[in-house]
Every structure is written in structure tokens, then in C-alpha cells.
Amino acid sequence: MTEEPDFRLDITGDVCPMTFVKAKLLIERMSPGQVCEIRLRGVEPLVNVPRSVTDLGHRVTGLVREEGEPDDGIHRLRIVRG
């Protein structure tokens, strides 16, 4: 994930369903083709947010665990608005 995203969102302090709600609100503000990077934490958001945005027609282009974090720790999710 080298290219700078157009938008960033940190939802590491939120829990489902607010994680998806905040991600969806951000994506709705974006134009098609724009990229956002979302920081999330925990198993539930890690599974639900990528699946939900894909179901809405957007493309997940990356999901990377931050260095030094456990498997259920902070990840960076890249999404391209469809």
C-alpha cells in the first residue's frame, strides 16, 4: 500500500455496527475510483467491514496488519469506491 489514499478513517475505538456505519458514511462521500484507508481493530470489524463494503459494490485492494500488532490487532483496510 504505497499510494496515498484520498481519505483516511480510524475506527479502532469503535465496535460493530458503528465500524461499518462510519465506513459506509465515508465511502458515500467519495467519488467513484477514489481510495480510502480505514484503520480497524478486532476480529468482528476485520471480517464484517471488508465483506459489507464488497457487498455494496466497492473493491477491497488491501488488508494489512500493522507492524507489531497481534492477528486481531490494528489493520489497515484499503477500499476503492465502485
Side-chain angles (χ1 to χ4, degrees):
M1 289 197 265
T2 56
E3 183 181 320
E4 283 295 311
D6 299 298
F7 297 88
R8 293 181 190 273
L9 178 65
D10 187 335
I11 53 174
T12 56
D14 297 306
V15 295
C16 286
M18 286 309 297
T19 52
F20 173 65
V21 170
K22 288 184 176 183
K24 185 178 181 209
L25 289 172
L26 171 64
I27 293 168
E28 287 175 350
R29 292 191 351 239
M30 296 167 50
S31 297
Q34 285 190 308
V35 177
C36 69
E37 181 178 272
I38 301 174
R39 291 180 77 231
L40 44 83
R41 173 195 313 266
V43 174
E44 195 171 5
L46 190 57
V47 172
N48 292 338
V49 173
R51 182 189 65 222
S52 297
V53 299
T54 301
D55 288 348
L56 291 174
H58 310 297
R59 188 167 37 104
V60 172
T61 60
L63 180 61
V64 177
R65 181 171 39 99
E66 288 191 1
E67 189 174 325
E69 288 287 326
D71 288 343
D72 63 347
I74 297 174
H75 286 70
R76 291 181 185 268
L77 173 67
R78 280 267 171 133
I79 300 166
V80 177
R81 175 159 182 174

